[in-house]
């Protein structure tokens, strides 16, 4: 097994942690969840490129954009 095959495991953990975090009512935990989602997106993209999993890569690019949007909206709500 190549070292890059192991990226799927921290990507999975980061995704689960992120899903838990964005569901929090505490803004700091929610932001940490969004950041964790971004980390998981980067890991999944790296693994997907290596595996030639093009649909996964495109999915993660789209989810990355939605996560950045979520971070911005969350920050705007925190300022109000």
């Amino acid at each position: 097994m190549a070292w890059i095959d192991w990226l799927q495991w921290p990507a999975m953990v980061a995704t689960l942690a992120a899903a838990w975090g964005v569901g929090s009512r505490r803004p700091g935990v929610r932001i940490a969840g969004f950041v964790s989602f971004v980390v998981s997106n980067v890991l999944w993209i790296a693994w997907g490129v290596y595996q030639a999993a093009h649909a996964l890569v495109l999915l993660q690019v789209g989810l990355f954009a939605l996560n950045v949007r979520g971070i911005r909206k969350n920050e705007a709500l925190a300022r109000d």
Side-chain angles (χ1 to χ4, degrees):
M1 179 180 270
W3 69 268
I4 200 161
D5 286 322
W6 291 98
L7 281 184
Q8 63 185 316
W9 297 105
M12 183 221 29
V13 170
T15 302
L16 289 174
W20 178 82
V22 297
S24 176
R25 292 180 186 214
R26 295 178 20 210
V29 175
R30 224 174 16 254
I31 288 292
F34 283 117
V35 170
S36 185
F37 261 133
V38 169
V39 169
S40 76
N41 296 140
V42 171
L43 292 171
W44 281 122
I45 288 169
W47 185 79
V49 167
Y50 171 75
Q51 292 291 332
H54 306 295
L56 175 68
V57 171
L58 289 175
L59 171 65
Q60 295 304 316
V61 169
L63 291 173
F64 174 81
L66 292 172
N67 289 325
V68 170
R69 178 179 177 260
I71 290 170
R72 289 184 177 158
K73 289 186 76 144
N74 192 69
E75 289 175 343
L77 287 173
R79 284 192 300 265
D80 292 341

